[in-house]
Amino acid sequence: MALYGYHRTSTTDQKLDRGLIAIREHCKNHKLELDELFTDQLTGKSFDRPDYAVLKRMAKAGDSIILAELDRLARNKTGILKELQYYKDKGIRVMILEIPTTLIDYSALANQKHDISAMLMETVNNMLIEMYATFAHAEMQK
């Protein structure tokens, strides 16, 4: 099971440092081995980004992707939600540092019969992701 990081800035004038440091620090503090870190310096309006395309092709079921912030994935709310559903359907976990509830692996709870905790946490995660995706989209509209 591989762990990939991804960070994006909109332009080459913006620095990638902040997000890359956050991802590396999280991995170091939680004793996680980062297999590869992908970066793009292109708009978040579309997913047509070279490193993101490589990451998407490489990630397989059981792998995880870590982002510093949800809006580094994209700025389009519909696109964000669609991509996250794609990863979920493929069995690829997406962890978002700014949404701490996504950093906890609830799969053990989900495997227990009649356990409401996993469903509750998935609902909380979905609500937070929806909210952050809305904020990212609104920022793009300015």
Side-chain angles (χ1 to χ4, degrees):
M1 292 190 261
L3 175 61
Y4 302 111
Y6 181 76
H7 191 65
R8 176 197 63 78
T9 60
S10 297
T11 69
T12 54
D13 293 336
Q14 295 173 315
K15 301 227 182 300
L16 290 163
D17 299 359
R18 187 185 70 184
L20 299 180
I21 290 169
I23 291 169
R24 286 184 179 122
E25 284 278 315
H26 177 80
C27 291
K28 179 182 173 188
N29 293 339
H30 293 87
K31 295 178 175 53
L32 300 171
E33 188 175 330
L34 194 60
D35 291 280
E36 197 160 346
L37 191 52
F38 296 90
T39 62
D40 285 304
Q41 291 191 292
L42 294 164
T43 182
K45 292 180 181 180
S46 86
F47 288 94
D48 187 23
R49 294 177 242 134
D51 264 21
Y52 182 72
V54 173
L55 166 63
K56 195 169 178 180
R57 279 193 308 271
M58 283 182 70
K60 306 287 183 237
D63 291 348
S64 296
I65 297 170
I66 188 167
L67 310 166
E69 301 166 65
L70 185 61
D71 66 359
R72 300 302 84 204
L73 179 61
R75 289 283 188 179
N76 175 299
K77 178 183 175 182
T78 304
I80 289 171
L81 299 177
K82 186 177 176 182
E83 287 298 292
L84 292 176
Q85 187 62 50
Y86 166 84
Y87 290 120
K88 183 177 180 180
D89 292 346
K90 296 287 184 186
I92 300 164
R93 182 173 169 214
V94 178
M95 299 183 293
I96 306 156
L97 298 180
E98 75 176 340
I99 307 175
T101 55
T102 65
L103 303 177
I104 300 166
D105 185 1
Y106 300 104
S107 61
L109 292 175
N111 293 331
Q112 295 176 10
K113 209 171 190 180
H114 307 296
D115 194 315
I116 195 144
S117 300
M119 285 192 313
L120 179 61
M121 289 315 300
E122 185 173 353
T123 301
V124 169
N125 278 338
N126 289 340
M127 289 171 41
L128 289 170
I129 287 167
E130 180 91 22
M131 182 180 71
Y132 277 87
T134 299
F135 294 155
H137 191 90
E139 282 291 314
M140 180 183 68
Q141 300 292 334
K142 287 184 179 183

